[in-house]
Every structure is written in structure tokens, then in C-alpha cells.
Amino acid sequence: MELAALNSKERLLLVFCVISYVCVSTDAEASCKLKAKFNLSGYKDVEKKTVVIGGMFPIHNRLASTDSNTTNAPESSECEGFNFRTFRWTQTMLFAIKEINARTDLLPKTDLGYVIYDSCFTISKAVEGTLTFLTGQDEAVPNYRCGNGPPLSALIGAGGSDLSIATARILGLYYFPQMSYESSCSVLESRFQYPTFLRTIPSDEHQSVAMARLVLHFGWTWVGTIAAEDDYGKYGIKRFKELVEEAGVCTSFSETLPKVSSPEAIQRIVQTVLGSTAKIIVVFSSDVDMRPLVEELLLNNVTNRTWIASEAWVTSAAISRHRNILPVLGGTIGFAVKKATIPGLEEHLLQIDPYQDPLTEEFWETAFNCTLSFQKAMQNARESGNITSAQDVRLDPEGLCNGKEMLGKLNNTFTDVSQLRITYNVYKAVYAVAHALHNLEHCVPGKGPFDGGSCADIDKFEPWQLMYYLKNLRFIVPHTREEIYFNNGDVEGFYEILNWQSDSEGGVTYHPIGYYNGTVPIDKRLTIDNTSIIWNNEILEVPHSVCSERCQPGTRMGIRQGEPVCCFDCIPCADGEISNTTDARGCIQCHEDDWSNANHDECVPKTIEFLDFSEPLGITLIAISAFGALLTIVVAIIFFIHLNTPLVKANDPLLSFTLLFGLVITFLCSIVFLGEPQMWSCMTSQVALAVGFALVLSSIMGKSALLMLRARAVKAVKTATKKAKAAAAASEQSPDTAVIAPAIPQKNDVDPIHPRTQRAIMIVCTLIQAVGCTVWLILVPPHPVKNTAAQNIKIILECDPGNIIFICSIFGYDILLAVVAFTFAFVARKLEDHFSEGKSVTFGMLVFFIVWISFVPAYLSTRGKFMVAVQIFAILASSFGLLACIFIPKVYVLLIKPERNKEEMMITRPKSRDTAANGSSASIASTANGTTVSTVSLDE
């Protein structure tokens, strides 16, 4: 339109607009100042496009180093370290947009454009790209949209989790949709912090759970962890450690891969791996961060380790195609996202134009190690000395690309389409935005989701309007027929589990061994075919990775001070305690009737011990007891046969029979001590023993009392005799002097007590014991008990006396009788006749005391049935001692020497101290005043 063709009003309006523009521009120039101009590389096609989709890919690995000198104006850093794998992702977005634009069923009236930037694997470049994308031009003006082109729809990217977190915070301010293909960090699940973030890759919450379940599946309890120094590694490994530590798995070490190149840090990590006993190492990292560590592992030949890989590097050809990688990383198990075949993608990759833009030129030059610039090639040739100025410059210099090199002959990750996993996520992300735009475009007015049923205009919609359609999106991915929908911005957690195995050419092949599906019940989520796994160094057995070997039943875990709980010592359970499970935290005390077996893994009933009738020792004791009782009865029969003989009648035959009866009781009561203790046997054995010995000792005391009195009488006779001798001697020397001899006691004076008195002593003493035993039985009778304290492995069945005071009183009374009887007998030990019963009783009582004094330490030093045996031996020995010492000499006289069994032989005779030539008796007779003195036989 020419100015002359305008009417006056139109001219006036045009002048006003020009003036206004000039004023505004002037004010803006006066008040606004551009602080920096970003240096971004990528792809851009927005001319004549309806809608623009943004993209961000880490095509380079790092920022180029810059001069930190502040004397010059700072410039935006360039990128270096071309990454063929991520460049394939970029080309996949271009391919998907091209494919969508060619379709008639998806956005048929809409032509998609794109703006793609290189995030350079750094947060700063990702932020630069985000601001530039929002602004709409190559200069970032915060909070302003300066471009007048087609509306922006969504951003595909920006690569790793830390990059997406940075961009998502900016995009969330404007409620601008972001669709991520690689950012799996679980922190991005927060819709409060990242309201417009969506992704086509599962959250690392699923991957961390899957890794933890894998470790538990194989029983590993000692693992090392390595994480990248970013949000992806930090949050992923943190969640993994939380899960495994709850299940009892311990971490040997936790290392962090530096984002900035640090050989010292990498070497330290390798030394940590070598120094650790953990054979399982879990790595949450990208392939870019992992690559320096792999190179150092190869230099140090770190083998015999099994690596658990996260999805970011498990299928990375940049790592798996290292030379001699299998000895180090062979057997690696990792989790990979779904893969797919994308028809037409490989052809697209092989047909790219190297002269399309600077980024593609760089790819071409890097891939073929040449340059597309003739001037640069000539300069390089001159610097290398390959050509001279005289040479024909029209010849192609060495190192010059012709642009016709064959990409199909390259063996790099760009042309490798066998493991399209993240690539497939990019493809799905582009299609997700396209389907959301399609739903927005085909909204029916009046039935729309916005106020009053309105719809958004595809030519000028707001980002928040597209966000509505993305949140409620559900579509089928072309070619794979996978259904995609977002659950609060996330997709289903599904992973394929891969195992690094050797292929036919010695390279690495990713062999599927199972999968993890986070949508099924918990117990069915992890599926692994153990038989198809090839472990490190071609080992078929599952690696063993524990800090301490498992504690077997019979032991308990003893934690080592200052070390993880998985590092422990296996301490055998103490006697009487068991552990019947593996890795028991403590031992279980057996019941008092049970005891631990030799392995301390089971409580078994304690051995019941008592002196049984049927065992050899019991049979022996029964035989001895029966023999003693029978022998005593035989002696009694012999005495009964010779009842009227002087020897039997010498000292009250009834006491002899009561003594023999008491010995029979003591012999037979020892049998009652045998066998399993019962109430009746405990009562009978103790009472019979006490009463039996009381009867024996009281009978001996009755006999000894008479012997003692006879001894005293003999002593009196001896004294009188000495006086008579002295008087006789005096009379012989002085015949004129009349000496009166003292009177000598007669025989009837020797027995001052009657047999009834002896019997009364026996009866009273025995009755006292019987009464005491009766009171004992009534108040606190002896009873059987289970003694579990004497021996740990046995239950000793024994008799409890009931009350220590009673048993001490009862048997103390027997000791008193024994002491009195021994005292009486000891006094009468020198009483002489042809039988010398005083000596016999004295020796018998000495044997009695020796036996029972010896019994005490022997009894206290034994346990169980041998204690009973010692008691029985003491009873039998003392009984045999009394029987032998008191009755065997008499039996000897009765049976072998009957000529001594005469009345005159039984006369008690005091022992004479006078000496005579023939040793015969002398009759001493003297008369004094007509009185006759009786004569007494004096033995020399």
C-alpha cells in the first residue's frame, strides 16, 4: 500500500503509530539493556508453521573451558565432546515431527515447527535454552514473549534429571508443559514443585525398588554403591539404600562420580572398589559420568565384580564398546526401559545432509575425523607440512570431507538402532504433544473443557490450555501399539532386565533375563530367569557377596563394634541355649527339662538319671545288700542254734538278736534307695535307715554299757588285788605284825545292771528315733524331686529330705548314739576274757566312724546316681563292719572253736602286771583274825 493511496484519517493513524513506536522504542532503549547474548546451537524451523515444539538434548558432554579473566566482557561458553547417542535422539525428534506432518489422521491442518537446543549436559546451558525458547528469539527477556511467530506448545527435554529440574522450575512459573524422555529422578514426581512436568520414562522410584528386589532376590547382603553427582544419582541411590537397609542389607561403600573431570577422585573410587570385599556394586549414573570410571577400571584390571546398572548406562554403546570390557563389566545386570523398532528411523539417520547446519557439520566431521571446510583443511595440511605453496591448491587436501561419506559404514552409536530405548521415549514424547495438540484442535465449541464450554484456538492457545490435554491424554504409539497415559505426570514402571554377555565376535550383547512390572501385585513384579544369567568371568554360579558368612543354626550374630550390622561374628550358643534359624540375633533358652544338643540347634529332653535296678551298678549293690542281709540272718540262725551256750548268753542274747535285726534292716533299706524315686521309697529309705541304725546303735550301746561297768568292776578288783599283795608282802617281812588284807569283790559284783536295764536302754533309744521320724514324716516328709541344677545335661531324680533341720536332727541322733556306744566300748576295750567283746565292739564302732567320715567328702563330690551309690556303699560298709567286728569272732568260736564256749572261759579277768615263771594262776589266801579271803585268778 502506497502512502498516497491513504485517506487523511488513515494517514493520521499511521503517523500516530510511527510516533508511538519511536517513543516506545526510545523509552525502551533508555530503560532496558541486554546483559548477555546466549551462544546456543541446535535446529530451528518456525517459518510458516502453525505450532512450535521445543526440544533440548545434551548433544555435547561438557562446556568448553573459558578464560576466567574479567578484563573482557564475558561470553557464553561453547560446548565440546560430541555425543553420537544423544545426537540420534535429536534426529529422532526431527524424524517424528516430519512423520507427524506427513500424516493425515493426526493434526491434518497443522504444520509443526521446532526449536531444538543443545543443553550441553550442563544446567547453565539448559537454563539458557529454556529462557531463549520462552522468549521466542535468540535473546532472553525474562517474563516476555518477544516473538510474533506461531505459539509454543511444549518443551521436549532437557536430558538428565538435574537439567530437567532446572528447566522445570522455570517452565512451571508459566505453567508451560515439559515432556521429558530421560529424566527419571523421583523428586520430579512432586506436582507442587513441578506442576507442568511429564515424562515418558518411568520414575526412579520404580527402578530403585526393582534394584533392591534384585539384590534381595540373590541374597546379597554386602554391596557397594556409586552415584553420579547430580539429582539422578543422588535420589536414585538414596532410595535404593533405604529399601535394602530396611531388609538387612549393608553398604560397604558409597562413592560419588564427579561431574567435572577429576582423575584423583576417579582413582580414589577405583581403589575403594579394589579394597572392598563387596562383590556387588550398584551404579546410578549416566553413561557420560560413568565413562571415566570405566576407563580407570580397565587400567587397573578390576575384575571379579558384578555391576548393577541403571537404565541411563546399561545399554550405552559408549561404554559397552570399549576394548576388553567383558573381563571388567561382563555379567553386568541392568534395568532398561522398553525398546522398540521405529520404521524409517534408520533411513532418516543415514540420509542426513552434512551441510544442513553447523551442528550436523560438526557431527559429520567428528564421525569421519575430517573437515568440511576447504580453507581449514588447507590450513591443517600446511601446518602438518603435507603440502607446499608450489603444489596445486586445486587438489583436495588431506583431511577434507567431501560430504559423500557413507554413514552406514560407521560403527558408532549414532547408526546403532538395535537398542532404541531412550530414542523410543523421545519418539513417544513428540507423539504425546502431537496427540494433545490434535485433541485441542478438534475441540467442539460449547463442549470444551474451559469456561462456558469454550475451546482453545490452535493458532493462539495458552500453554496451560495444552497442559489440560496432556494430563488427560491417552493414545496408542504408532508401530508398537503401546498405550500411553499419564498418571499424575508419570507412566507405568516397566523395565527389562538385561545381562551383559559375550557375542560371537567377542563383543557385548544385552541378553534379556527378566523384567520388572510395577503395576502387578508386589510378589509378582520381579521375574528373573536365573539359568540364563552369565556372571562375571563366565561364572555360572551366583556371586557371593557378604561381609560375614551367615550364622548357621546353633550360633548367634555378634555385632562388631563400629561396623555395619552385616559385619558380625557367629558366636556359638551357650550350653542350654539354641538357635534354630539362620542368622539368629540371639539364642533361645531351653526349658528347664530340656537341654541343647551338640549342635545347639535343638532342645532335647535332658537325660533322666537315677540309679536303676537293672544297670550293672544297681545289680551289684542289690547283690551285696542281699548277701549282707542273708549273712546276718545266717549269723542269727547260728546264734539261735547256740542260744543256750555260754558265749551267746554272755551278754544278753536278746540284744544280740535286736542288733542283728537292725543290721538286716540297714542291709535291706539300701535296696530301697535304688530305682526311680517315689514318695513311698523316699520316705521308706530315709526312715528305715535312721531307725535301723538307731536300733543297731542302741543295741550296741546296751551291750557296751554292761561291758563298761564290768571294766570298771575289774579295775576295782585290780586295785584291791594290788593292795592285798602289798599287805601280804608286809606280813611276810614282819611275821609278828598282823595285817588285815582288804576285801576283794566277788563275781556277782561285776554285773551291776540287769539285762532288763540293757533292753530298756535299747527300746527307749530306738523309740526316741522312731518318734522323731514319725514327726518328720508328718510335717515335712521326704519327697522325690527333679534336680536340674546339679548337672546341666541331666535331670537327676532324687529324694529331697524335706527339711534340713529334721534330717540333721534325725541322723545327728544316730551319731550321738554311735558316740556314746563307742565311748562305752572304748572304756571296756581292756576287759579281758577269751572272747574280748569290748575290743570287738570298739573295732566295729571305729569301722563305723571311718566309713561315715569318709562318706561325707565322697558324697559331696559326686552327683546323680553315683551319689546314691556312695550312700549305699557307706550303709553297706558300715553294716558289714559292725557285723564282722562284733559277730564274726563269736561265730568263729561257736563253729570252729567250740571248746572255748565254756562258762569259765567267759569269766572276766583283770590283767595282772606280776610276773611268774610259769605264767599260771596263783592262789592267795590269808587269814586275819580267823577270816578267809576269797581267791581271784590273776593272769599274767
Side-chain angles (χ1 to χ4, degrees):
M1 180 184 299
E2 295 185 4
L3 186 61
L6 298 177
N7 55 33
S8 58
K9 186 179 291 188
E10 290 175 340
R11 289 178 182 177
L12 182 62
L13 180 61
L14 179 60
V15 172
F16 177 78
C17 290
V18 172
I19 294 173
S20 299
Y21 175 76
V22 172
C23 292
V24 172
S25 298
T26 303
D27 292 340
E29 290 176 1
S31 60
C32 297
K33 182 179 180 181
L34 186 63
K35 288 295 184 181
K37 187 176 180 65
F38 294 151
N39 181 17
L40 295 168
S41 59
Y43 297 95
K44 187 175 183 180
D45 184 11
V46 297
E47 296 295 330
K48 298 180 182 180
K49 300 299 180 180
T50 309
V51 179
V52 174
I53 300 178
M56 200 172 295
F57 298 89
I59 300 173
H60 290 85
N61 293 337
R62 58 190 176 273
L63 290 175
S65 59
T66 58
D67 187 5
S68 59
N69 190 355
T70 58
T71 58
N72 299 322
E75 296 180 358
S76 180
S77 300
E78 294 185 352
C79 300
E80 62 181 10
F82 199 89
N83 191 321
F84 293 111
R85 183 187 183 204
T86 54
F87 186 66
R88 180 185 356 114
W89 300 349
T90 307
Q91 291 298 320
T92 301
M93 179 175 176
L94 297 176
F95 168 77
I97 292 176
K98 178 182 177 182
E99 189 178 67
I100 292 169
N101 286 336
R103 291 181 57 166
T104 58
D105 59 335
L106 183 63
L107 294 174
K109 300 177 182 180
T110 301
D111 198 13
L112 296 178
Y114 52 83
V115 175
I116 300 175
Y117 293 118
D118 179 12
S119 67
C120 218
F121 208 69
T122 58
I123 294 177
S124 61
K125 279 295 180 181
V127 172
E128 287 181 16
T130 303
L131 294 175
T132 303
F133 175 69
L134 290 174
T135 301
Q137 57 186 27
D138 292 337
E139 298 173 354
V141 183
N143 208 34
Y144 280 89
R145 168 68 177 168
C146 299
N148 296 319
L152 306 177
S153 57
L155 177 67
I156 308 296
S161 295
D162 53 340
L163 308 182
S164 290
I165 289 173
T167 58
R169 292 190 183 279
I170 298 173
L171 296 175
L173 296 175
Y174 308 105
Y175 217 74
F176 193 96
Q178 177 181 356
M179 186 69 65
S180 176
Y181 51 85
E182 190 190 17
S183 304
S184 57
C185 182
S186 59
V187 74
L188 286 165
E189 292 178 348
S190 173
R191 296 282 75 83
F192 177 76
Q193 297 188 66
Y194 314 101
T196 60
F197 180 83
L198 303 97
R199 51 188 167 190
T200 56
I201 187 172
S203 168
D204 279 337
E205 171 66 22
H206 299 290
Q207 185 171 199
S208 298
V209 172
M211 283 186 171
R213 288 189 174 275
L214 177 73
V215 169
L216 298 177
H217 172 79
F218 289 110
W220 297 320
T221 59
W222 189 235
V223 299
T225 62
I226 300 176
E229 194 177 19
D230 53 23
D231 292 312
Y232 170 72
K234 179 176 67 175
Y235 286 101
I237 211 68
K238 176 185 176 183
R239 181 58 177 154
F240 166 79
K241 290 171 66 176
E242 288 175 354
L243 293 169
V244 295
E245 286 173 2
E246 287 178 0
V249 179
C250 297
T251 304
S252 173
F253 60 87
S254 294
E255 294 291 341
T256 302
L257 290 172
K259 297 295 288 185
V260 180
S261 177
S262 175
E264 296 80 8
I266 296 298
Q267 291 173 5
R268 177 180 53 80
I269 294 174
V270 171
Q271 293 304 315
T272 300
V273 172
L274 286 171
S276 172
T277 57
K279 303 302 181 183
I280 308 300
I281 303 172
V282 180
V283 182
F284 250 100
S285 171
S286 66
D287 57 344
V288 176
D289 293 330
M290 182 68 178
R291 190 167 182 174
L293 176 63
V294 173
E295 293 172 353
E296 190 67 23
L297 292 172
L298 289 169
L299 288 176
N300 287 270
N301 192 28
V302 180
T303 59
N304 196 27
R305 302 293 191 280
T306 297
W307 300 79
I308 309 300
S310 63
E311 41 74 30
W313 69 274
V314 66
T315 57
S316 173
I319 294 178
S320 62
R321 290 189 178 183
H322 268 286
R323 292 185 59 187
N324 301 321
I325 195 65
L326 278 174
V328 176
L329 293 183
T332 293
I333 296 178
F335 294 83
V337 296
K338 291 180 180 179
K339 75 173 183 176
T341 300
I342 304 176
L345 177 61
E346 185 175 12
E347 290 76 9
H348 170 80
L349 297 176
L350 296 176
Q351 294 174 2
I352 64 173
D353 183 4
Y355 301 101
Q356 180 181 0
D357 54 73
L359 198 59
T360 310
E361 289 181 14
E362 183 183 359
F363 158 72
W364 200 274
E365 291 174 351
T366 306
F368 293 103
N369 193 24
C370 61
T371 177
L372 290 168
S373 171
F374 182 82
Q375 290 78 8
K376 187 177 181 179
M378 288 294 296
Q379 182 180 354
N380 293 337
R382 288 192 182 98
E383 291 176 355
S384 63
N386 292 331
I387 62 173
T388 64
S389 58
Q391 288 179 304
D392 188 357
V393 296
R394 291 177 298 177
L395 296 176
D396 292 340
E398 184 179 354
L400 179 65
C401 302
N402 58 20
K404 296 180 181 180
E405 288 81 5
M406 301 296 294
L407 286 174
K409 295 182 179 180
L410 288 177
N411 184 21
N412 62 19
T413 57
F414 176 75
T415 58
D416 184 8
V417 294
S418 62
Q419 296 289 328
L420 299 181
R421 298 181 187 275
I422 302 299
T423 302
Y424 179 48
N425 286 343
V426 174
Y427 188 74
K428 289 188 290 185
V430 175
Y431 264 91
V433 175
H435 276 277
L437 289 170
H438 180 85
N439 294 339
L440 182 148
E441 182 182 23
H442 290 80
C443 175
V444 178
K447 297 182 180 180
F450 309 114
D451 291 342
S454 62
C455 296
D457 187 353
I458 190 68
D459 295 322
K460 51 181 179 179
F461 64 89
E462 294 295 331
W464 58 268
Q465 292 175 315
L466 179 62
M467 191 66 201
Y468 167 81
Y469 288 100
L470 284 171
K471 284 173 131 184
N472 298 278
L473 182 65
R474 186 179 288 267
F475 72 99
I476 302 297
V477 181
H479 313 302
T480 64
R481 307 307 299 168
E482 179 186 358
E483 184 179 21
I484 297 297
Y485 61 92
F486 298 101
N487 181 13
N488 202 25
D490 285 321
V491 294
E492 295 178 349
F494 184 91
Y495 297 93
E496 188 177 8
I497 305 176
L498 305 178
N499 179 220
W500 283 24
Q501 300 181 7
S502 175
D503 59 16
S504 58
E505 299 178 357
V508 173
T509 180
Y510 311 116
H511 183 72
I513 59 172
Y515 60 87
Y516 177 84
N517 188 353
T519 61
V520 298
I522 295 178
D523 57 337
K524 297 181 180 179
R525 291 182 179 178
L526 185 69
T527 301
I528 297 180
D529 181 10
N530 294 350
T531 60
S532 64
I533 302 176
I534 301 298
W535 300 99
N536 188 268
N537 296 332
E538 303 297 320
I539 298 174
L540 299 180
E541 296 181 357
V542 178
H544 194 58
S545 184
V546 295
C547 181
S548 299
E549 294 297 331
R550 304 190 70 182
C551 289
Q552 299 302 316
T555 61
R556 64 174 179 86
M557 297 167 60
I559 297 176
R560 298 174 186 170
Q561 192 68 27
E563 297 188 30
V565 294
C566 295
C567 300
F568 50 82
D569 297 315
C570 294
I571 303 174
C573 291
D575 290 339
E577 297 180 348
I578 66 161
S579 63
N580 51 14
T581 59
T582 304
D583 292 339
R585 295 288 181 179
C587 297
I588 305 170
Q589 183 71 41
C590 291
H591 187 266
E592 63 177 1
D593 290 343
D594 297 329
W595 194 249
S596 55
N597 60 0
N599 295 327
H600 292 272
D601 58 0
E602 183 182 3
C603 286
V604 295
K606 290 183 178 180
T607 303
I608 304 297
E609 182 176 277
F610 57 89
L611 191 53
D612 193 34
F613 296 101
S614 58
E615 60 181 294
L617 182 58
I619 295 173
T620 302
L621 294 176
I622 292 174
I624 296 174
S625 301
F627 173 74
L630 182 61
L631 183 61
T632 304
I633 294 172
V634 170
V635 171
I637 293 173
I638 294 173
F639 266 58
F640 184 77
I641 294 173
H642 300 84
L643 182 61
N644 295 319
T645 61
L647 183 61
V648 176
K649 294 169 61 177
N651 194 353
D652 194 357
L654 183 59
L655 288 181
S656 298
F657 284 110
T658 57
L659 174 57
L660 291 170
F661 179 69
L663 290 175
V664 172
I665 293 175
T666 57
F667 276 120
L668 295 180
C669 78
S670 61
I671 300 177
V672 186
F673 283 89
L674 301 174
E676 181 178 352
Q678 303 291 336
M679 191 67 182
W680 68 269
S681 62
C682 290
M683 296 170 64
T684 302
S685 58
Q686 299 293 339
V687 172
L689 178 63
V691 175
F693 272 121
L695 180 61
V696 170
L697 295 172
S698 60
S699 299
I700 293 175
M701 188 172 65
K703 284 179 169 287
S704 301
L706 178 61
L707 295 175
M708 179 192 68
L709 294 176
R710 286 180 178 176
R712 290 172 65 87
V714 169
K715 185 176 182 180
V717 171
K718 184 184 296 186
T719 302
T721 303
K722 287 182 180 181
K723 291 180 179 180
K725 287 183 178 181
S731 62
E732 289 178 359
Q733 294 175 2
S734 302
D736 297 332
T737 304
V739 179
I740 302 173
I744 300 176
Q746 301 299 314
K747 178 180 179 301
N748 291 335
D749 298 331
V750 177
D751 292 335
I753 60 173
H754 195 273
R756 287 194 298 269
T757 306
Q758 294 178 275
R759 296 167 190 173
I761 293 174
M762 179 271 296
I763 294 172
V764 170
C765 291
T766 305
L767 284 177
I768 292 174
Q769 183 70 295
V771 171
C773 290
T774 303
V775 175
W776 180 23
L777 294 178
I778 293 174
L779 297 180
V780 279
H783 56 277
V785 293
K786 293 181 178 180
N787 187 346
T788 58
Q791 294 188 18
N792 292 329
I793 61 175
K794 295 179 180 179
I795 297 177
I796 301 174
L797 301 183
E798 59 185 16
C799 291
D800 188 337
N803 187 289
I804 191 66
I805 297 176
F806 272 101
I807 192 169
C808 289
S809 301
I810 295 300
F811 287 100
Y813 179 74
D814 283 340
I815 294 173
L816 177 62
L817 294 180
V819 170
V820 173
F822 174 73
T823 303
F824 290 169
F826 185 78
V827 172
R829 71 188 185 285
K830 294 183 180 180
L831 187 62
E832 291 295 334
D833 57 30
H834 285 281
F835 171 65
S836 188
E837 187 174 17
K839 288 184 178 180
S840 298
V841 174
T842 301
F843 279 117
M845 292 308 300
L846 283 175
V847 171
F848 181 86
F849 282 121
I850 291 171
V851 168
W852 285 103
I853 291 173
S854 302
F855 159 77
V856 173
Y859 183 82
L860 295 177
S861 62
T862 54
R863 292 290 183 272
K865 61 182 181 181
F866 296 105
M867 181 182 287
V868 178
V870 168
Q871 188 174 7
I872 295 175
F873 274 121
I875 296 171
L876 295 177
S878 59
S879 300
F880 273 113
L882 293 173
L883 179 65
C885 292
I886 296 175
F887 290 99
I888 295 303
K890 293 183 179 182
V891 172
Y892 174 78
V893 171
L894 292 175
L895 298 180
I896 306 301
K897 297 291 184 179
E899 65 275 9
R900 294 185 181 180
N901 191 5
K902 296 180 180 179
E903 183 70 28
E904 60 272 14
M905 303 297 287
M906 300 299 115
I907 298 174
T908 303
R909 296 163 293 167
K911 195 171 184 179
S912 175
R913 295 182 183 270
D914 298 335
T915 57
N918 55 4
S920 61
S921 299
S923 295
I924 301 175
S926 63
T927 58
N929 300 323
T931 303
T932 302
V933 180
S934 61
T935 62
V936 178
S937 173
L938 299 176
D939 292 340
E940 290 185 346

